[in-house]
Amino acid sequence: MNRTILKIIIISLVIFIAAVVTASQKVISGAPEITLDGGSRGEVPFPHKLHQDGLDDCNVCHDTFPKELEVIKKMKGADELKKKQVMNEVCIKCHRELQKANKSTGPTSCKGCHS
């Protein structure tokens, strides 16, 4: 009977550990790299996976861009003023805040993103 109890404990422990590991993994979706329309300055390669790995909360970006493809649609369909507002109020603002906090960040200049 002791062996049966030991087997049950071991199996329960393995199932528990597997559940914890599965629950703790971050769900990553979308393309790892996305190309955004950068207007006259050229396309902007957007490292989506890098942002996913570096941010704890996807809503930091996805409050502005509700879906993965929404960011591409907004940038392609927007006039130059709207593109600059999105770029300044979302992208560059975040990068500068990270820079001020002495954290790893992306570019804060035009040439840093536009190819």
Side-chain angles (χ1 to χ4, degrees), residues 58-109:
C58 294
N59 287 327
V60 169
C61 297
H62 287 290
D63 275 347
T64 303
F65 310 110
K67 298 175 188 171
E68 175 191 344
L69 294 177
E70 217 37 51
V71 76
I72 297 168
K73 289 178 188 175
K74 278 190 176 187
M75 295 306 274
K76 283 186 178 178
D79 60 30
E80 287 300 312
L81 180 61
K82 179 65 177 171
K83 287 180 188 178
K84 287 181 182 179
Q85 287 173 329
V86 170
M87 177 187 64
N88 287 320
E89 294 171 11
V90 179
C91 308
I92 292 176
K93 180 180 178 185
C94 183
H95 288 183
R96 287 189 175 148
E97 287 173 359
L98 289 169
Q99 192 175 43
K100 285 179 186 175
N102 292 322
K103 294 183 179 179
S104 179
T105 184
T108 57
S109 68

Side-chain angles (χ1 to χ4, degrees), residues 9-87:
I9 291 171
I10 291 172
I11 290 171
S12 298
L13 187 59
V14 168
I15 291 171
F16 175 76
I17 291 170
V20 168
V21 168
T22 302
S24 67
Q25 291 179 340
K26 192 188 260 188
V27 175
I28 304 295
S29 61
E33 292 284 329
I34 300 170
T35 301
L36 304 175
D37 177 14
S40 62
R41 290 194 173 260
E43 293 182 333
V44 176
F46 178 74
H48 188 232
K49 184 171 180 346
L50 181 69
H51 284 79
Q52 288 175 317
D53 292 345
L55 296 171
D56 292 330
D57 182 9
C58 294
N59 287 327
V60 169
C61 297
H62 287 290
D63 275 347
T64 303
F65 310 110
K67 298 175 188 171
E68 175 191 344
L69 294 177
E70 217 37 51
V71 76
I72 297 168
K73 289 178 188 175
K74 278 190 176 187
M75 295 306 274
K76 283 186 178 178
D79 60 30
E80 287 300 312
L81 180 61
K82 179 65 177 171
K83 287 180 188 178
K84 287 181 182 179
Q85 287 173 329
V86 170
M87 177 187 64

